[in-house]
């Protein structure tokens, strides 16, 4: 009986020791800090798509068609004279609107037909495109009616070239924040509990220079804290 009692007591002591150790480990594992780090690069766009929608109106369908073809030729020549390859110029199928089809009497507009198309320039030579963009008033002077939606769209296509370095920089910034937090809380920084690259965004640096882009990476990292 004495031996059984001794073994029971020893078992209780060991169980308590293991339980205490487990609770300590649990409390340690529950202690972590979540930090964010970011990195940015200012880059120049390396591609531009410049759509030039234009239209003509009139009551004679054949004349309207000829006028639209003439304006399309003017835009094509405007781009080719600037040194762009004809393969960089895309003309969309024309759109014909008969505005008398659903209007009667006094509601009919003065011009029956409206014929429209879009000539787009797609090029990687952004500096040359910017130079030509500043001369776009020449098209209006030649009688081309440029419609809405003619703003060029600039893009940066070499994200994969700079993305690894940005992620490394953002992760390092997150760790610096975690180290400072651990220091302020009298703790030591442990290993990584989880990590999330987050969002990579490409935005215009400002409204006046859409050809200049800001690339930003944000990472979120959770670190364990140790006593």
């Amino acid at each position: 009986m004495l031996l059984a009692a001794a073994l029971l007591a020893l078992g209780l002591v060991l169980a308590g020791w293991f339980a205490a150790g487990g609770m300590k480990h649990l409390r340690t594992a529950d202690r972590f800090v979540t930090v964010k780090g970011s990195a940015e690069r200012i880059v120049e766009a390396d591609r531009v798509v410049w759509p030039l929608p234009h239209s003509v109106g009139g009551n004679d369908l054949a004349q309207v068609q000829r006028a639209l073809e003439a304006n399309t030729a003017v835009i094509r020549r405007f781009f080719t004279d600037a040194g762009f390859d004809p393969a960089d110029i895309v003309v969309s199928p024309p759109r014909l609107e008969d505005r008398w089809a659903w209007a009667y009497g006094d509601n009919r507009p003065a011009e029956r037909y409206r014929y429209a198309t879009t000539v787009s320039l797609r090029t990687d030579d952004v500096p040359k495109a910017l130079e030509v963009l500043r001369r776009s008033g020449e098209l209006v002077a030649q009688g081309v009616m440029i419609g809405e939606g003619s703003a060029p769209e600039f893009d940066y296509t070499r994200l994969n070239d700079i993305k690894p370095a940005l992620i490394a920089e953002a992760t390092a910034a997150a760790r610096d924040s975690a180290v400072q937090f651990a220091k302020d809380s009298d703790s030591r920084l442990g290993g990584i509990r989880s990590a999330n690259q987050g969002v990579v965004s490409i935005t215009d640096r400002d409204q006046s220079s859409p050809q200049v882009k800001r690339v930003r990476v944000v990472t979120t990292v959770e670190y364990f804290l140790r006593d």
Side-chain angles (χ1 to χ4, degrees):
M1 292 180 61
L2 291 175
L3 180 59
L7 291 174
L8 178 61
L10 180 60
L12 292 174
V13 171
L14 291 174
W17 183 81
F18 282 120
M23 290 300 294
K24 180 180 180 181
H25 176 73
L26 178 62
R27 288 195 299 271
T28 302
D30 283 346
R31 294 181 58 206
F32 62 91
V33 60
T34 303
V35 291
K36 291 182 180 294
S38 64
E40 290 186 356
R41 292 282 191 283
I42 300 299
V43 298
E44 295 286 338
D46 56 8
R47 178 169 298 167
V48 59
V49 178
W50 183 15
L52 287 177
H54 62 103
S55 63
V56 295
N59 295 321
D60 186 292
L61 181 57
Q63 183 179 359
V64 167
Q65 290 175 325
R66 287 193 297 270
L68 186 71
E69 292 172 358
N71 287 348
T72 298
V74 168
I75 299 175
R76 277 184 174 276
R77 188 166 57 252
F78 177 72
F79 286 140
T80 55
D81 288 350
F84 291 106
D85 192 289
D88 296 334
I89 305 168
V90 179
V91 181
S92 66
R95 303 174 301 278
L96 177 63
E97 179 186 4
D98 185 351
R99 299 194 293 174
W100 287 8
W102 307 104
Y104 303 94
D106 295 337
N107 293 326
R108 282 184 171 180
E111 294 179 332
R112 177 175 180 176
Y113 298 108
R114 175 63 60 180
Y115 210 30
T117 189
T118 300
V119 181
S120 298
L121 174 70
R122 179 184 178 89
T123 178
D124 295 338
D125 194 341
V126 177
K128 185 188 292 185
L130 287 171
E131 181 182 346
V132 175
L133 180 64
R134 299 184 186 100
R135 296 169 34 218
S136 57
E138 297 176 12
L139 293 172
V140 179
Q142 297 183 63
V144 180
M145 183 184 299
I146 303 299
E148 295 182 0
S150 61
E153 297 180 4
F154 296 90
D155 192 17
Y156 180 70
T157 65
R158 296 196 293 267
L159 176 61
N160 288 336
D161 294 344
I162 65 173
K163 187 176 178 180
L166 283 173
I167 293 176
E169 184 179 333
T171 303
R175 180 176 175 79
D176 290 343
S177 298
V179 168
Q180 185 61 48
F181 183 90
K183 181 180 178 181
D184 294 341
S185 60
D186 294 326
S187 303
R188 291 182 299 109
L189 198 65
I192 294 178
R193 182 173 183 263
S194 67
N196 184 359
Q197 174 188 310
V199 177
V200 179
S201 62
I202 302 178
T203 58
D204 296 344
R205 184 184 63 180
D206 52 62
Q207 293 182 348
S208 61
S209 52
Q211 76 278 10
V212 182
K213 301 295 182 180
R214 174 180 282 107
V215 183
R216 189 168 190 263
V217 174
V218 179
T219 61
T220 302
V221 187
E222 292 182 350
Y223 287 95
F224 288 111
L225 295 176
R226 306 299 186 206
D227 291 331

